[in-house]
C-alpha cells in the first residue's frame, strides 16, 4: 500500500509482466481512477515511437475536486532502447516515469506523488526511473541522456 | 428509552471516518503560527499565532488578546528554537484553542445518546464520567504534521493527547517536508523550508526522509528580523523602533524628516511584549522592503562593469518604508544586506552578544551537506527536484538567488526549483498536502485507530508513521 492508502490493481502488474517478458508492448501508461481509489492501466501500446508516447503524457488530464478538468499526472513504464556511443551494441532499459506537470492541479499532484511508491514497488524488474514535471523533462534527448547515463 | 434514540455520528461504528461523513482535522504547528482546518478544504480555516500571553498565571491565546498591552503580560512560545514542542501543557492548550475557536465547538457528550446499548444502571455511572470531560474531537480523526527531526518521545506525546485528551477516533502523523514535496507533485525531492525560527534542508526519496540528509540552521525569518534590528541600531542616526501600540497620533512628514507623532504611555509593559510588537514592525519591513540580491554572484561580487554588485544596486531606485510614527526613509542596498547572510556568512551583520554566523549555516552550504549525505545515484534527481517552502522564501528574489547559487555550486548539472506561485501554497504547503491526504477515501486504511492505540500504546506511531 502507498502512503495515501491507494491500491494497485492486479492488471498493472500483469500488463507490466507482459511488457517485460514478450517485449511486444513498448509502453504502459497508468492512471488513478477518477475516485482516486486505485491505480489502473490507461493504455498499453505497441507503438515504440517516443514522441507518440510523449504526446500521450502531454495530453493527459485529471479532474479536480470541483470537477474541473486540467492537466493530469500519470505514471508510465517505457521499454527504452538505445545504442551505446562506444559502438558496443544496444541496451534496453525498462524505465519508470512519474509524470506530474507543474501546471496540474495540486490535488492530483498530491495524490499521484503520495501513491507512487505502491506502484513502483509492485513492478519488479525496473532498470531505472525518473520524475518529470515539464515538457523539457520528457524531451527525447534529455531522457536519453538520463537513462543511458550519458553513454548513448 | 436510550435505544429509541437515533444514532449520532459519535456512536456509529468507527469505520466511517475517512469517508465523507466526518471530516478529519489537519493540524500544522510551527514556531510562528498554528494552522488548523478540515481535510478537503483549500486553506486552513484557523490560523493563529504560536505566541501566547502569560498573565496572572493564565494563558492568553489569539491575535486580538496577545497584542493588547496588558500590564504585566509576558509573551512566550511553547515551541523551541528547533521548531519542536518544548512546553507540552501550553502546546496542548494552544492547539486546542486553534481547533475549538474556529472549527469545532467545545462540546460535552450527551449521556442519553452516549450509552446507547447500556442499561439504565450503567448509564448513571456514564453520566458522571462524561460530565466533566470535554473531548472536542470525538468525531474527528486528527492528522498532525511534524518536522523531520521530531524526537520519538514528542511523537508519542502527540498521539497520547489526541487519543486520551481529545478523544480522537483516529490519528496520523506526517512529516511536513514530505507533505510539501507531495503537494509539489514529487515523491523524490530536496526540500528547502525557510520558516520563522528554523531553516531546514531535507532529501526525500520515494516519500521517505533520508535521515542523514537533514540539515538545520537558525538563519530563518526571525533571524532576518534581527538583522533588520541590527541595521536600524547601527543606522546614522540610530532608528528608534517604536511599535504601533505606542503611537497615539501621527502626521505625515517628508522622507528623512523627524517624526511628528504623539505617543501613548503604558504602565508595566514587559520586555517580551514590547519585543513582539517591535517584531511586527520588523516583519512589515521584511515583507514590503527587503529583497534578496537575485544573482548572478553574490552582493559583494565584482560585476562585468568593473564595479561590484553593491555599486550596481546603489545606482538603482530604492524603496520607502514608513515607520509606525510616520517617519519614513528610503532604503537602498541595505534592504539586500539584511538577507545576504542567508547565502554568504561574511555578509551577515554582526549581532551583539550572538555568535557569528558560520558558513555551514548558510543555505548553499546546507544544501551541499545534505546532497553529499545521500547516495551518488540520487543526487542528480534531487537537484532537479528542489522544492521551496516556508514563509521566508516569499522574500523577493529568493528563488532566483537559490537557482544562481545552485548553478554556481553544481556547474553543468541540471537544476530545477519548484516554488508554488500562490502565496498560500508556499506558506501552507504542508497543511494543504495534509488536507488532500486526509480527505482521500483510501486514507482510512492509514489512520491509527483508537483500538490500535489501545492495543499497542503510544509506541505505535513509531511503527506506523515512518
Ligand atoms: N511575504 C513575506 N515576506 C517575507 N517574509 C515573510 C512573508 N510572509 C511570511 N514571512 C515570514 O515567514 C515566517 C513564517 O513562515 P512559516 O509560516 O513557514 O513559519 P513556521 O512554520 O511558523 O515556523 P518554523 O518553520 O520556523 O517552525 C515569519 O518569519 C514571517 O515573517
Ligand atoms: Mg514551518
Amino acid at each position: 500500500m502507498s502512503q495515501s492508502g491507494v491500491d494497485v490493481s492486479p492488471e498493472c502488474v500483469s500488463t507490466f509482466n507482459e511488457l517485460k517478458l514478450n517485449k511486444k508492448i513498448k509502453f504502459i501508461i497508468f492512471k488513478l481512477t477518477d475516485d482516486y481509489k486505485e491505480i489502473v492501466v490507461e493504455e498499453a501500446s505497441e507503438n515504440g515511437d517516443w514522441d507518440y508516447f510523449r504526446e500521450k503524457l502531454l495530453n493527459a488530464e485529471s479532474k479536480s475536486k470541483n470537477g474541473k478538468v486540467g492537466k493530469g499526472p500519470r505514471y508510465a513504464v517505457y521499454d527504452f532502447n538505445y545504442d551505446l556511443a562506444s559502438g558496443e551494441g544496444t541496451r534496453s532499459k525498462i524505465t519508470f516515469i512519474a509524470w506530474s506537470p507543474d501546471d496540474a492541479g495540486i490535488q492530483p499532484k498530491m495524490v499521484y506523488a503520495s501513491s507512487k511508491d505502491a506502484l513502483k514497488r509492485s513492478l519488479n524488474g525496473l532498470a531505472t526511473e525518473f520524475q518529470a514535471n515539464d515538457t523539457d523533462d520528457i524531451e527525447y534527448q534529455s531522457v536519453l541522456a538520463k537513462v543511458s547515463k550519458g553513454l548513448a | 428509552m436510550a435505544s429509541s434514540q437515533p444514532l449520532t455520528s459519535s456512536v456509529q461504528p468507527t469505520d466511517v471516518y475517512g469517508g465523507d461523513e466526518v471530516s478529519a482535522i489537519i493540524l500544522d504547528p510551527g514556531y510562528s503560527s498554528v494552522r488548523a482546518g478540515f481535510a478537503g478544504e483549500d486553506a486552513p480555516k484557523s490560523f493563529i499565532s504560536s505566541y501566547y500571553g502569560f498573565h496572572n498565571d493564565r494563558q492568553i491565546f489569539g491575535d486580538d488578546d496577545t497584542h493588547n498591552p496588558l500590564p504585566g503580560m509576558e509573551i512566550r512560545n511553547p515551541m523551541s528554537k528547533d521548531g519542536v514542542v518544548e512546553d507540552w501543557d501550553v502546546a496542548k492548550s494552544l492547539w486546542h484553542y486553534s481547533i475549538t475557536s474556529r472549527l469545532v465547538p467545545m462540546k460535552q457528550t450527551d449521556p442519553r445518546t452516549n450509552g446507547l446499548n447500556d442499561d439504565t444502571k450503567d448509564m448513571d455511572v456514564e453520566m458522571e464520567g462524561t460530565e466533566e470531560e470535554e473531548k472536542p474531537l470525538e468525531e474527528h480523526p486528527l492528522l498532525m504534521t511534524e518536522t523531520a527531526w521530531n524526537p520519538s518521545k514528542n511523537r508519542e506525546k502527540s498521539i497520547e493527547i489526541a487519543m486520551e485528551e481529545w478523544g480522537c477516533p483516529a490519528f496520523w502523523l506526517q512529516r511536513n517536508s514530505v507533505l510539501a514535496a507531495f503537494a509539489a507533485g514529487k515523491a523524490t525531492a530536496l526540500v528547502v523550508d525557510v520558516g520563522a525560527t528554523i531553516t531546514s534542508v531535507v532529501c526525500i526519496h520515494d516519500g521517505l526522509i533520508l535521515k542523514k540528509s537533514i540539515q538545520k540552521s537558525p538563519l530563518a525569518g526571525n533571524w532576518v528580523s534581527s538583522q533588520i534590528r541590527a541595521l536600524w541600531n547601527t543606522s546614522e542616526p540610530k532608528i528608534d523602533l517604536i511599535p504601533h501600540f505606542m503611537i497615539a497620533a501621527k502626521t505625515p512628514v517628508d522622507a528623512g524628516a523627524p517624526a511628528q507623532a504623539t505617543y501613548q504611555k503604558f504602565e508595566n509593559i514587559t520586555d517580551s511584549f514590547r519585543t513582539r510588537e517591535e517584531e511586527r514592525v520588523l516583519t512589515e519591513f521584511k515583507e514590503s522592503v527587503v529583497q534578496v540580491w537575485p544573482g548572478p554572484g553574490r552582493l559583494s561580487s565584482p560585476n562585468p562593469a568593473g564595479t561590484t554588485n553593491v555599486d550596481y544596486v546603489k545606482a538603482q531606485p530604492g524603496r520607502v518604508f514608513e515607520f509606525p510614527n510616520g517617519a519614513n526613509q528610503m532604503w537602498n542596498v541595505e534592504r539586500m544586506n539584511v538577507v545576504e547572510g542567508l547565502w554568504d556568512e561574511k555578509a551577515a551583520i554582526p549581532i551583539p552578544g550572538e555568535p557569528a554566523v558560520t558558513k555551514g549555516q548558510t543555505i548553499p552550504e546546507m544544501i551541499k551537506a545534505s546532497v553529499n549525505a545521500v547516495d551518488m545515484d540520487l543526487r542528480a534527481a534531487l537537484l532537479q527536484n528542489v522544492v521551496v517552502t516556508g514563509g521566508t522564501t516569499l522574500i523577493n528574489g529568493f528563488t532566483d538567488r537559490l537557482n544562481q547559487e545552485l548553478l554556481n555550486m553544481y556547474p553543468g548539472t541540471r537544476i530545477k526549483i519548484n516554488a508554488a506561485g500562490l502565496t498560500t501554497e508556499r506558506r501552507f504547503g504542508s497543511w494543504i498536502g495534509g488536507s488532500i491526504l486526509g480527505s482521500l477515501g483510501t486514507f482510512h486504511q492509514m489512520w491509527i485507530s483508537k483500538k490500535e492505540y489501545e492495543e499497542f500504546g503510544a509506541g505505535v506511531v513509531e511503527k506506523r508513521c515512518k
Side-chain angles (χ1 to χ4, degrees), chain B residues 166-323:
Chain B
W166 295 347
C168 296
F171 180 79
W172 191 252
L173 260 184
Q174 182 69 267
R175 309 286 187 182
N176 53 16
S177 44
V178 172
L179 288 170
F182 283 168
K186 295 164 190 298
T188 294
L190 184 146
V191 178
V192 179
D193 179 354
V194 190
T197 188
I198 199 148
T199 290
S200 62
V201 177
V202 176
C203 296
I204 293 164
H205 183 234
D206 280 347
L208 294 177
I209 282 173
L210 302 173
K211 279 259 150 68
K212 292 170 304 190
S213 73
I214 300 171
Q215 291 287 320
K216 295 178 288 172
S217 147
L219 307 194
N222 292 348
W223 178 82
V224 174
S225 298
S226 68
Q227 289 283 287
I228 301 168
R229 193 185 282 274
L231 168 75
W232 289 357
N233 278 335
T234 53
S235 287
E236 278 298 338
K238 177 174 176 295
I239 288 164
D240 261 339
L241 179 40
I242 302 166
H244 292 277
F245 79 98
M246 296 175 72
I247 314 294
K250 63 177 176 187
T251 1
V253 293
D254 288 340
Q260 297 218 341
T262 50
Y263 300 94
Q264 236 170 318
K265 265 239 161 300
F266 292 93
E267 291 303 312
N268 201 9
I269 291 299
T270 64
D271 287 349
S272 60
F273 180 84
R274 165 112 192 196
T275 303
R276 173 146 179 261
E277 294 308 304
E278 289 173 359
E279 188 70 34
R280 276 180 116 176
V281 183
L282 295 164
T283 297
E284 284 163 21
F285 186 81
K286 191 164 63 176
E287 294 176 3
S288 61
V289 175
V290 172
Q291 188 171 345
V292 175
W293 163 253
R298 302 194 153 166
L299 194 50
S300 61
S301 310
N303 62 19
T307 58
T308 72
N309 290 327
V310 172
D311 299 306
Y312 168 78
V313 174
K314 280 184 173 161
Q316 304 294 310
R319 212 172 282 179
V320 175
F321 182 71
E322 185 184 313
F323 293 92

Side-chain angles (χ1 to χ4, degrees), chain B residues 55-206:
Chain B
H55 188 247
N56 291 341
D57 273 340
R58 223 166 52 84
Q59 297 156 4
I60 298 168
F61 299 115
D63 282 319
D64 296 343
D65 293 341
T66 55
H67 285 300
N68 180 24
L70 199 60
M73 180 171 70
E74 296 280 358
I75 296 293
R76 300 178 181 172
N77 193 313
M79 306 292 276
S80 78
K81 295 263 154 70
D82 211 23
V84 299
V85 176
E86 195 167 60
D87 185 336
W88 276 100
D89 282 338
V90 175
K92 192 171 71 187
S93 309
L94 174 71
W95 299 343
H96 186 267
Y97 174 86
S98 78
I99 293 168
T100 53
S101 63
R102 306 280 154 87
L103 306 178
V104 295
M106 196 101 89
K107 70 176 254 283
Q108 285 184 239
T109 317
D110 185 341
R112 280 168 312 160
T113 53
N114 188 22
L116 195 68
N117 295 319
D118 296 342
D119 62 32
T120 347
K121 194 167 85 249
D122 285 331
M123 258 186 68
D124 291 333
V125 182
E126 278 272 338
M127 281 171 79
E128 273 172 28
T130 50
E131 228 151 41
E132 57 211 297
E133 271 179 68
E134 291 158 347
K135 291 194 170 169
L137 298 186
E138 266 174 345
E139 297 176 13
H140 302 277
L142 178 70
L143 189 158
M144 263 187 83
T145 70
E146 58 171 349
T147 59
W149 55 92
N150 199 22
S152 50
K153 72 172 192 340
N154 277 26
R155 310 185 82 204
E156 294 182 3
K157 189 85 190 161
S158 304
I159 192 172
E160 272 168 33
I161 291 171
M163 293 287 177
E164 312 270 349
E165 308 202 21
W166 295 347
C168 296
F171 180 79
W172 191 252
L173 260 184
Q174 182 69 267
R175 309 286 187 182
N176 53 16
S177 44
V178 172
L179 288 170
F182 283 168
K186 295 164 190 298
T188 294
L190 184 146
V191 178
V192 179
D193 179 354
V194 190
T197 188
I198 199 148
T199 290
S200 62
V201 177
V202 176
C203 296
I204 293 164
H205 183 234
D206 280 347

Side-chain angles (χ1 to χ4, degrees), chain A residues 40-61:
Chain A
V40 297
V41 172
E42 180 174 48
E43 180 176 0
S45 171
E46 296 183 3
N47 185 343
D49 179 43
W50 179 265
D51 288 333
Y52 173 78
F53 166 70
R54 184 169 172 270
E55 279 303 305
K56 295 271 173 186
L57 292 183
L58 293 176
N59 293 325
E61 291 180 335

Side-chain angles (χ1 to χ4, degrees), chain A residues 1-7 36-37 65 100 102 106-107 109-111 113-114 116-117 120 129 131 133-134 136-137 146, chain B residues 40 42 174 179 182-188 205-207 384-385 414 416 418 425 432-433 436-437 440 442-443 445-446:
Chain A
M1 210 197 333
S2 60
Q3 292 198 45
S4 59
V6 165
D7 273 324
Y36 289 141
K37 290 225 154 84
K65 203 170 60 199
S100 188
D102 287 328
I106 190 165
Q107 191 193 26
K109 282 198 286 199
M110 180 78 205
V111 187
S114 58
K116 174 201 154 190
D117 57 326
K120 207 185 111 183
E129 68 155 320
Q131 282 182 167
N133 308 90
D134 62 23
D136 289 356
D137 289 346
K146 252 186 296 226
Chain B
D42 293 340
Q174 182 69 267
L179 288 170
F182 283 168
K186 295 164 190 298
T188 294
H205 183 234
D206 280 347
Q384 276 180 44
N385 291 282
R414 186 151 183 263
K416 230 184 109 198
N418 178 295
E425 284 183 19
I432 295 170
I436 296 169
L437 266 195
L440 288 178
T442 52
F443 200 71
Q445 306 174 70
M446 305 304 292

